[in-house]
Amino acid sequence: MTVISPALHVPRRAWLADLPVLAVAVVWGGSYLAAKGITTAHTVVAVLVLRFALVLPVLVVAGWARLRALTPAQLRGAGLLGLVLGGIFLLETYGVVHTSATNAGLIISLTMILTPLAEAAVSRRAPSGAFLAAAALSVGGVVLLTQGAGFTAPASGDLLILGAACARTVHVLLMARVKAVQDADALSLTTVQLGGAVLVFALLAALPGTGESPWAAALGFGAAQWAGLAFLSVFCTLFAFFVQMWAVRATSPSRVSLLLGTEPLWAALAGIAIGGEHLGPLGYAGVVLVLAGTAWGRRAVARVHPAHTP
């Protein structure tokens, strides 16, 4: 009989816990290419309604008892966060329609830089020199990434994705400062937020001039579009959420954050290897700088605030 020592058993358990989290980072990285493949400027709102309406009933059923236990203050706080979340997805999805999946995945990673900067501004605490250097490296990388064909005005999609990164930062700050939601159940909080976002999308879909209706878009989908929508709904939303809930208990929040931080790498790989996107020498240099800057920034924040790694 083979005897496995505790020293060998623990790393194996940690690795097994890491694999699903890494899978979430991979599917999130692929979400930009998937969204780009099934969405046009006229179907953004419709696709968002379909994407989240498919998973919302599952979340409601799974957490019905805890949803009913939410207080009115918690519902209002989660609803506010849902409005911001809706804005994030609108900016991201309109953005990816008008830029490359590679650019979208890398520019959105600036959230990891913008969030600590915003926290420092709110708390009036200067960030470390190492973090500022990492931020400069990331910004320089985005400049090279978006200007690889020559220095011109940034594409509208790039600016929309940058706006989404700023909105993500606002969302993180609100999560930390809206007292009503800080003790709320994670599943219930996510369900109410997605419900608020879907309500925003549904109201927009009912307005004239916002593109095709969800019903018309669904009727126009072929097998490839339905597969892309299923990937976004089931894997990038439902699977990702439940894995995160499980992983923070099976491992540590900082380890989960580190693994999820590889998302921009997978976005770049998906865009280049699967989407056939071409960057050029300056673009590839920008990819390297963005990845290096965000990784360095995460480490700099972790050294100062180990429990608050973005």
Side-chain angles (χ1 to χ4, degrees), residues 27 29 39 110 119 151 279:
V27 298
T39 313
L110 288 180
E119 288 179 335
F151 288 91
L279 297 179

Side-chain angles (χ1 to χ4, degrees), residues 47-285:
V47 166
L48 287 172
V49 171
L50 294 171
R51 172 181 175 179
F52 294 106
L54 288 176
V55 300
L56 192 58
V58 178
L59 294 175
V60 170
V61 171
W64 178 245
R66 285 172 285 184
L67 271 173
R68 293 180 64 187
L70 290 177
T71 66
Q74 289 173 329
L75 285 170
R76 288 193 297 270
L80 171 63
L81 291 171
L83 296 179
V84 178
L85 188 65
I88 292 170
F89 282 115
L90 284 167
L91 287 167
E92 282 185 359
T93 312
Y94 274 113
V96 80
V97 168
H98 297 291
T99 189
S100 67
T102 304
N103 279 21
L106 289 164
I107 294 172
I108 201 68
S109 71
L110 288 180
T111 304
M112 291 183 278
I113 296 296
L114 294 173
T115 301
L117 286 175
E119 288 179 335
V122 170
S123 63
R124 298 182 181 180
R125 184 182 60 249
S128 68
F131 180 81
L132 290 176
L137 196 66
S138 297
V139 172
V142 168
V143 171
L144 292 179
L145 179 71
T146 59
Q147 304 298 313
F151 288 91
T152 59
S156 60
D158 295 331
L159 294 176
L160 287 169
I161 297 295
L162 182 59
C166 294
R168 278 195 185 192
T169 297
V170 172
H171 188 262
V172 172
L173 293 180
L174 287 175
M175 286 274 289
R177 284 165 174 77
V178 177
K179 293 182 179 180
V181 303
Q182 290 176 7
D183 297 324
D185 172 67
L187 176 58
S188 302
L189 181 61
T190 299
T191 302
V192 175
Q193 286 189 77
L194 287 181
V198 170
L199 179 61
V200 170
F201 305 147
L203 290 174
L204 287 175
L207 296 176
T210 55
E212 292 185 14
S213 69
W215 178 253
L219 289 177
F221 277 180
Q225 286 77 22
W226 279 112
L229 185 65
F231 174 76
L232 290 170
S233 299
V234 177
F235 290 99
C236 299
T237 307
L238 204 59
F239 167 75
F241 173 72
F242 283 109
V243 165
Q244 286 182 88
M245 282 189 64
W246 165 80
V248 293
R249 293 169 174 82
T251 175
S252 68
S254 59
R255 193 173 181 90
V256 171
S257 178
L258 179 65
L259 291 166
L260 293 180
T262 63
E263 175 191 345
L265 172 62
W266 303 112
L269 288 175
I272 295 168
I274 302 174
E277 297 174 353
H278 302 286
L279 297 179
L282 287 180
Y284 282 108

Side-chain angles (χ1 to χ4, degrees), residues 1-49:
M1 182 175 66
T2 303
V3 178
I4 300 176
S5 69
L8 293 176
H9 185 56
V10 172
R12 177 176 173 80
R13 289 184 62 189
W15 173 245
L16 290 175
D18 287 347
L19 284 176
V21 182
L22 188 60
V24 170
V26 173
V27 298
W28 276 355
S31 67
Y32 303 98
L33 187 61
K36 189 172 182 66
I38 68 171
T39 313
T40 68
H42 299 291
T43 61
V44 167
V45 175
V47 166
L48 287 172
V49 171

